[in-house]
Amino acid sequence: MNHHCEYRSVVFAGGGTRCLWQVGFWNEVASALQLKPLTVAAVSAGATMACFLFSGRFNAAVQHFQQTTRENAHNIYPLNVFRGHPVFPQYTMYRNGILAAIDAPALAELHDGPEIRILLSRPPKWAGARLATVIGFLCYSVEKKLYSPVHPSLAARIGFMPEVVTVSECRTPEELADLLLQSSCTPPFTPVLRRDGNPVLDGGIIDNVPAGIIDDHGDMLILLTRQYPPERIPALPGRTYIQPSRPITIFKWDYANPDGLRDAYELGRTDGQTFLKRNKA
């Protein structure tokens, strides 16, 4: 038996709509390698994709997103300011997409599956939610541009705190939708969101590839959503980092581009097939 069948944990990086690459990859690889992870670590849209996959509802979810992105003409509606409607349609589309795919039986399926741990960021006490948003994403962007680390650390150094919530803590599909949106909270595309009364932001500010929230020492499969220079990929025993074979073209909050979604998904499938060929030991 090939040792690649024994990944005890899987990590789904964040990356918005680019995370459809992970679904394409998983659909090619998971049954071929009989992947049955015990633990899944995920953040932001990667967490949503993990929930779609492990509830068995990714087909319904992808069809829903294809349909709604086809019907949605723009990613920003500036005139809505004067109409009292949201300027950005993403939050409502995202939430509706989760609830269209995951009902009570699907949530029960998730509770029976691997433990899915989801990373959130708590802003530093000295910063209000809006200031924290600006600082957090600035840290993230600057660090990515200058050093392109797979695991950023700047936001944590200035006081952003990680918080991990498991899917098993969600008792209803609505609670799961809340959790997934909190992990993806990126104003202005979403409102400022709160959990237990205090603001939360996208967990990717802390670490967009949250391998660190898994304490299992078994082999780990890590699904990235962007390309890193090869020398930046950590060479750690037991960890297999997989990245897209070319940059995914879709912008992560692009909810008006069904072709871009399909492209990310199809690239994932192609890269999954390549991975299987390489691992035929």
Side-chain angles (χ1 to χ4, degrees):
M1 179 162 154
N2 183 332
H3 80 278
H4 292 284
C5 302
E6 290 159 27
Y7 290 113
R8 288 165 60 101
S9 52
V10 181
V11 178
F12 287 78
T17 45
R18 297 198 306 261
C19 292
L20 273 161
W21 177 88
Q22 297 167 327
V23 179
F25 184 91
W26 186 264
N27 283 346
E28 288 299 319
V29 166
S31 62
L33 295 184
Q34 295 163 348
L35 294 181
K36 292 196 169 40
L38 302 174
T39 318
V40 173
V43 65
S44 196
T48 304
M49 297 305 151
C51 288
F52 289 156
L53 285 168
F54 290 100
S55 64
R57 296 300 168 91
F58 60 85
N59 281 338
V62 168
Q63 277 166 354
H64 178 90
F65 274 113
Q66 285 281 356
Q67 180 68 27
T68 53
T69 52
R70 202 173 289 116
E71 290 163 5
N72 176 45
H74 305 287
N75 283 306
I76 177 167
Y77 293 85
L79 295 178
N80 279 358
V81 166
F82 307 109
R83 301 183 184 127
H85 294 307
V87 172
F88 294 94
Q90 286 86 345
Y91 174 78
T92 305
M93 289 174 70
Y94 194 165
R95 190 180 174 86
N96 291 346
I98 295 166
L99 293 173
I102 296 188
D103 54 9
L107 183 61
E109 188 76 23
L110 284 175
H111 287 172
D112 285 343
E115 181 179 76
I116 302 177
R117 299 180 184 178
I118 297 180
L119 179 64
L120 316 172
S121 296
R122 290 288 190 181
K125 289 278 182 272
W126 48 264
R130 288 182 190 284
L131 176 62
T133 301
V134 175
I135 294 168
F137 288 103
L138 205 60
C139 280
Y140 180 81
S141 307
V142 167
E143 196 172 8
K144 280 277 185 237
K145 274 279 175 294
L146 290 180
Y147 307 108
S148 60
V150 172
H151 301 287
S153 60
L154 190 55
R157 288 208 297 269
I158 65 162
F160 282 83
M161 296 292 292
E163 181 167 331
V164 178
V165 184
T166 62
V167 166
S168 56
E169 292 172 55
C170 301
R171 290 163 308 212
T172 62
E174 288 73 19
E175 285 184 13
L176 179 65
D178 288 344
L179 172 61
L180 293 171
L181 281 153
Q182 289 156 359
S183 180
S184 306
C185 178
T186 313
F189 298 107
T190 69
V192 170
L193 298 175
R194 291 174 183 272
R195 184 174 186 87
D196 305 326
N198 294 311
V200 284
L201 287 169
D202 191 311
I205 294 174
I206 296 270
D207 189 350
N208 201 39
V209 186
I213 65 173
I214 288 184
D215 35 27
D216 185 331
H217 298 300
D219 284 355
M220 185 185 291
L221 180 66
I222 300 168
L223 302 181
L224 305 171
T225 58
R226 60 191 291 167
Q227 273 199 316
Y228 295 85
E231 69 277 6
R232 291 281 174 215
I233 304 270
L236 294 168
R239 287 192 183 187
T240 306
Y241 287 85
I242 308 283
Q243 60 180 358
S245 55
R246 61 168 167 80
I248 297 170
T249 49
I250 193 169
F251 163 65
K252 62 174 125 179
W253 283 102
D254 189 346
Y255 279 29
N257 183 355
D259 294 342
L261 295 177
R262 191 176 305 107
D263 179 60
Y265 177 80
E266 291 300 336
L267 180 64
R269 290 191 56 190
T270 306
D271 290 349
Q273 290 158 8
T274 307
F275 179 77
L276 288 177
K277 284 195 196 91
R278 271 211 316 268
N279 286 297
K280 278 217 163 58

